[in-house]
Amino acid sequence: MQLPDYPFRGHRVEVRPGVHMHYLDEGPRDGEIVLMLHGNPSWSYYWRHLVLGLRDRYRCIVPDHIGMGWSDKPDDARNASPRYDYTLASRVEDIGALLAHLGIDGPVTLAVHDWGGMIGFGWALEHMPQVKRLVITNTAAFPLPAEKPMPWQIALGRDYTVGEWIIRGFNAFSSGASWLGVETRMPADVRRAYVAPYDSWANRISTVRFMQDIPLSAKDRAWPLLEAAGKRLPAYADRPAFIGWGLQDFVFDRHFLDGFRAALPQAEVMAFEDAGHYVLEDKHAVLVPAIRRFLDAHPL
């Protein structure tokens, strides 16, 4: 499938028996590594402009989480084979398996968006010395701030009956995000690229499981990892960090941006009143060169 601004050759790795992850590995093998982790309901396509802006010098590792993008989309029924448990812990393990496959055990720049923050900082709990720089875009690495109300759209998506039927039956989350996640309307071919991997009930399993796995309290399976990541976050204040934020994001809004600013007071911040959740869609023309300058100014 021809995708706008995505001229990459994908790779695949078996991250657990019978389950394969798709990923990009762009740039020189000896380049400084930038690990880019997407969220839900996007995929590696979200990072395409940044990859194109960095791959002449930097090695860009960009996975599609299992169930997302061009990675396998296994069922999670008890009798499924292969079977995948769609949890934050599984996502963290998958990143470890990918990096082990690539032989990457040295310094990385961690770039995150949406669920990528929880996955990336969850992985970093056991690998903090490897994380030398941070690039943070509209995400979370700590629990929902007390003053932040839960958006009704997220609450509905967590529902195991109505929410699952809407998301898996109509692709409502991926399709809706392609409209509501930006302030500048996506071109039709870009919007089609975002939703292309989620073309059937079976292929939408991860878009709903991600929502059902959102950790809101200690009763949720992902809570211990998210709570631990949040407590650890201020310890990254001694290393370079860049924050790019779309202020029209109705989920990861100013409350989350303020949380990152408090934990990382020395971070370089670019926040945009006219950008939404997919900030790299709305503002890639500004953010990509800014991130490039940031990386160049802080060599490993």
Side-chain angles (χ1 to χ4, degrees), residues 121-197:
F121 283 99
W123 168 81
L125 285 169
E126 301 296 329
H127 303 274
M128 188 173 176
Q130 284 184 250
V131 180
K132 300 300 185 182
R133 293 176 299 209
L134 298 171
V135 175
I136 296 168
T137 68
N138 289 70
T139 187
F142 44 82
L144 184 74
E147 62 275 16
K148 163 68 179 175
M150 168 56 64
W152 67 265
Q153 298 94 328
I154 302 302
L156 178 62
R158 284 169 58 82
D159 185 279
Y160 276 78
T161 52
V162 176
E164 180 152 1
W165 178 73
I166 292 173
I167 292 171
R168 296 190 73 175
F170 297 95
N171 205 20
F173 192 41
S174 178
S175 179
S178 70
W179 290 95
L180 301 177
V182 290
E183 291 299 295
T184 302
R185 180 177 292 187
M186 290 184 187
D189 55 351
V190 171
R191 192 168 62 251
R192 286 193 295 268
Y194 264 100
V195 304

Side-chain angles (χ1 to χ4, degrees), residues 213-294:
D213 195 42
I214 294 172
L216 298 178
S217 74
K219 296 183 295 183
D220 296 311
R221 290 191 293 177
W223 181 263
L225 270 174
L226 180 60
E227 185 180 43
K231 291 178 179 178
R232 178 74 62 83
L233 186 61
Y236 293 92
D238 64 346
R239 58 206 72 184
F242 179 97
I243 300 174
W245 211 270
L247 292 170
Q248 299 307 313
D249 189 335
F250 69 88
V251 178
F252 300 109
D253 58 10
R254 295 176 187 271
H255 296 96
F256 285 94
L257 174 58
D258 290 345
F260 280 107
R261 278 178 150 156
L264 308 170
Q266 304 303 316
E268 178 181 345
V269 179
M270 296 184 73
F272 304 94
E273 292 285 354
D274 56 344
H277 178 64
Y278 289 146
V279 65
L280 274 174
E281 290 299 324
D282 281 326
K283 293 296 178 181
H284 62 85
V286 178
L287 280 174
V288 170
I291 294 170
R292 176 62 182 257
R293 288 193 299 270
F294 164 76

Side-chain angles (χ1 to χ4, degrees), residues 101-124:
H101 166 73
L102 295 173
I104 295 173
D105 56 8
V108 302
T109 297
L110 183 62
V112 295
H113 177 249
D114 191 88
W115 264 93
M118 288 177 272
I119 296 167
F121 283 99
W123 168 81

Side-chain angles (χ1 to χ4, degrees), residues 13-16 21 91-103 123:
V13 58
E14 190 176 40
V15 292
R16 56 190 70 224
M21 171 182 277
R91 309 299 191 176
V92 169
E93 291 171 2
D94 295 341
I95 298 304
L98 170 63
L99 296 180
H101 166 73
L102 295 173
W123 168 81

